[in-house]
Amino acid sequence: MNKILIIILFLVGFSNCQKPEKIEGHWHLKRNIEQNEKYVTLDLININDSIAHMSKYSFNDTYEIRHYKETRNLITGDCGGYFEYSVSGNNIHLKNVQDYGDYYGSKHLLSRNHKIEDFYNSLLLDLTLAETKKIKNQISFEDEYFVRNLVVGKKNKSEIQNLKSNYYIQNYSELINLNKIDEWIENIENSTSDKYLAYLRFRIIVDKNFPLIFLSEINEKLKNRGFKGNYLTFLNSSELESENLFKYINLNKVEFGKKEKLIELIE
């Protein structure tokens, strides 16, 4: 009888050791782990959560995906977005059951620096945010439905800075020349329900050396179309507010005057 009990206990213990590891955490995913490609992020706080987040810390849109812990599935809602996942230590494999392509990834520590890294990873343009401690940050744009990110920068640092034709708007995976900003604004209007247009705000993300004459022009174009909640984004360099990655300045309260640098707007 004792031998039978020992065998049963051994089998129970062995099966517990073989249980697949859980998916909680912050993951960086790629289609091909051997290629030098940008990663996308996956975040799940608790194994019991039914919702996970893709691109949570990003200047692109964060979107929710369904999580089914019983069947170990993730469903994005897009065509071909049905995945079975398996976790081994700090590695994860998302197998696409419809053969649209798998994801492979690794778990990363979720810290302030990693969040900033994720935001920069989402950029297709070559830009570095200006840093400041001075602005009182009372605004949070993350995960807000009525916020549109306006990312403007150059594809190459070697391009001449004061030529407007060298700057582009990042529109998801597409780049639009800054000269066509009126078309970009019109597309925002056309893709937004009329009852929500008045609530839209714009988080403007530009390089620390972005010409103020172009920034002033962008702000005026937005105001002329009725958008008055336009905020310039700075990286928060204050160690006392380590959880707040960004600080913002309301451009409609700024006197541009003869200022030449972004940092001069708050001095």
Side-chain angles (χ1 to χ4, degrees):
M1 182 66 183
N2 288 337
K3 288 184 179 180
I4 295 176
L5 181 59
I6 291 173
I7 292 172
I8 292 174
L9 291 174
F10 173 78
L11 291 174
V12 171
F14 179 79
S15 64
N16 287 336
C17 291
Q18 296 301 305
K19 284 183 179 179
E21 296 191 47
K22 295 178 181 178
I23 194 177
E24 295 105 327
H26 178 72
W27 304 87
H28 290 181
L29 309 175
K30 292 184 178 182
R31 291 287 190 179
N32 190 327
I33 56 177
E34 300 299 328
Q35 294 181 354
N36 184 24
E37 63 179 273
K38 285 182 176 290
Y39 59 83
V40 295
T41 62
L42 170 70
D43 284 89
L44 187 72
I45 297 175
N46 189 291
I47 188 65
N48 294 317
D49 291 344
S50 61
I51 296 294
H53 293 90
M54 297 288 285
S55 302
K56 185 172 184 178
Y57 305 102
S58 167
F59 288 125
N60 291 320
D61 288 346
T62 297
Y63 62 96
E64 298 178 346
I65 59 177
R66 301 292 302 179
H67 170 236
Y68 298 90
K69 71 170 185 176
E70 293 82 6
T71 54
R72 301 179 69 77
N73 292 132
L74 293 170
I75 301 178
T76 67
D78 298 326
C79 180
Y82 192 102
F83 297 89
E84 296 174 347
Y85 65 82
S86 59
V87 179
S88 177
N90 288 326
N91 298 309
I92 190 170
H93 176 205
L94 272 61
K95 178 177 176 56
N96 187 277
V97 300
Q98 297 154 294
D99 293 328
Y100 280 92
D102 295 0
Y103 280 101
Y104 304 88
S106 56
K107 183 180 288 188
H108 289 258
L109 174 69
L110 187 56
S111 65
R112 170 183 165 84
N113 288 337
H114 274 83
K115 290 177 184 177
I116 292 173
E117 178 185 324
D118 288 350
F119 274 99
Y120 274 121
N121 174 72
S122 69
L123 295 174
L124 301 177
L125 296 164
D126 192 355
L127 65 87
T128 302
L129 288 171
E131 296 188 27
T132 185
K133 294 181 181 180
K134 294 187 177 183
I135 306 170
K136 292 183 179 179
N137 185 8
Q138 302 295 329
I139 305 165
S140 176
F141 287 129
E142 287 71 27
D143 300 325
E144 288 194 13
Y145 178 76
F146 297 115
V147 173
R148 299 293 181 268
N149 291 316
L150 176 51
V151 181
V152 183
K154 293 187 293 185
K155 292 189 288 187
N156 191 315
K157 279 186 176 178
S158 64
E159 293 175 333
I160 299 173
Q161 182 172 321
N162 59 358
L163 290 181
K164 189 176 179 182
S165 60
N166 288 339
Y167 288 91
Y168 296 84
I169 300 170
Q170 177 175 326
N171 189 46
Y172 301 100
S173 60
E174 178 187 15
L175 296 181
I176 302 170
N177 194 275
L178 183 56
N179 286 318
K180 297 183 178 180
I181 187 171
D182 290 307
E183 296 177 21
W184 183 84
I185 297 172
E186 186 175 346
N187 286 335
I188 294 291
E189 292 175 324
N190 292 337
S191 61
T192 306
S193 174
D194 290 343
K195 63 181 179 181
Y196 295 137
L197 280 174
Y199 299 101
L200 284 189
R201 293 184 292 172
F202 289 84
R203 176 168 66 169
I204 301 172
I205 299 100
V206 297
D207 185 76
K208 62 182 179 181
N209 295 315
F210 188 71
L212 286 190
I213 187 172
F214 298 159
L215 181 62
S216 176
E217 181 180 330
I218 289 171
N219 188 48
E220 287 302 314
K221 285 181 178 295
L222 289 170
K223 287 198 301 183
N224 290 340
R225 301 294 280 263
F227 301 116
K228 298 180 180 180
N230 310 319
Y231 297 85
L232 181 63
T233 306
F234 290 83
L235 189 61
N236 180 14
S237 58
S238 173
E239 296 181 1
L240 298 178
E241 298 178 286
S242 60
E243 291 303 311
N244 297 323
L245 299 183
F246 306 110
K247 287 178 176 287
Y248 302 97
I249 180 172
N250 188 335
L251 288 180
N252 295 304
K253 297 181 179 180
V254 167
E255 293 290 338
F256 283 89
K258 296 183 179 181
K259 298 181 178 70
E260 296 181 356
K261 297 181 179 179
L262 295 183
I263 202 68
E264 292 177 343
L265 295 180
I266 57 174
E267 291 179 344

